[in-house]
């Protein structure tokens, strides 16, 4: 992803109510590449507040962005769950996204609830 593409994506992400958006430094070009100049990559660290609808909105925005670029991939991690979005393979992508959300919802449902205590 080029610097301009990263800036454009960051601008689109600003429309969501994110907690924080941080650009992480790119690493060196992978072994075997001929020129570091053609290796443009970026990593964005997106911190969300705990809102399932916000996660769904984020996934939708990223899918749309990848489709418009018609290339690339984005890897997401939420807790122990990972999702890789690509610009191709729509049926497989839908299944992967549904599995990602199902796993997140199962974790949320399995989490113990805390009840307020009255120490007065």
């Amino acid at each position: 992803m080029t610097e301009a593409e990263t800036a454009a994506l960051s601008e689109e992400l600003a429309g969501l109510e994110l907690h924080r958006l941080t650009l992480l430094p790119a690493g060196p070009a992978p072994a075997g590449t001929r020129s570091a100049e053609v290796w443009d990559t970026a990593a964005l660290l997106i911190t969300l507040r705990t809102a399932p609808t916000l996660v769904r909105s984020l996934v939708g925005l990223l899918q749309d962005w990848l489709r418009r670029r018609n290339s690339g991939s984005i890897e997401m991690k939420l807790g122990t769950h990972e999702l890789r979005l690509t610009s191709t393979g729509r049926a497989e992508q839908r299944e992967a996204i549904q599995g990602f959300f199902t796993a997140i919802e199962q974790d949320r449902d399995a989490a113990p609830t805390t009840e307020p205590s009255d120490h007065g």
Side-chain angles (χ1 to χ4, degrees):
M1 181 168 21
T2 66
E3 189 174 323
E5 289 172 324
T6 303
L9 177 57
S10 296
E11 188 174 308
E12 288 188 45
L13 289 168
L16 297 176
E17 294 180 27
L18 304 176
H19 179 67
R20 186 176 315 135
L21 177 64
T22 308
L23 178 63
L24 301 176
T33 55
R34 294 182 182 192
S35 171
E37 293 175 13
V38 299
W39 178 255
D40 287 326
T41 187
L44 294 172
L45 175 63
I46 300 170
T47 309
L48 302 172
R49 291 177 175 25
T50 55
T53 56
L54 184 55
V55 176
R56 288 188 182 276
S57 296
L58 175 62
V59 169
L61 185 148
L62 296 174
Q63 279 184 289
D64 183 57
W65 187 78
L66 284 169
R67 269 190 229 110
R68 286 182 277 134
R69 287 184 71 225
N70 201 28
S71 68
S73 66
I74 295 175
E75 295 179 19
M76 296 181 60
K77 185 173 182 180
L78 183 60
T80 59
H81 306 290
E82 295 183 21
L83 174 65
R84 184 165 192 238
L85 300 171
T86 63
S87 60
T88 60
R90 292 182 184 166
E92 296 89 10
Q93 192 77 98
R94 278 193 300 270
E95 289 177 24
I97 292 167
Q98 186 56 46
F100 180 74
F101 285 121
T102 298
I104 291 168
E105 290 167 6
Q106 287 173 346
D107 281 358
R108 188 183 68 214
D109 292 343
T113 57
T114 57
E115 295 184 22
S117 59
D118 186 10
H119 297 294

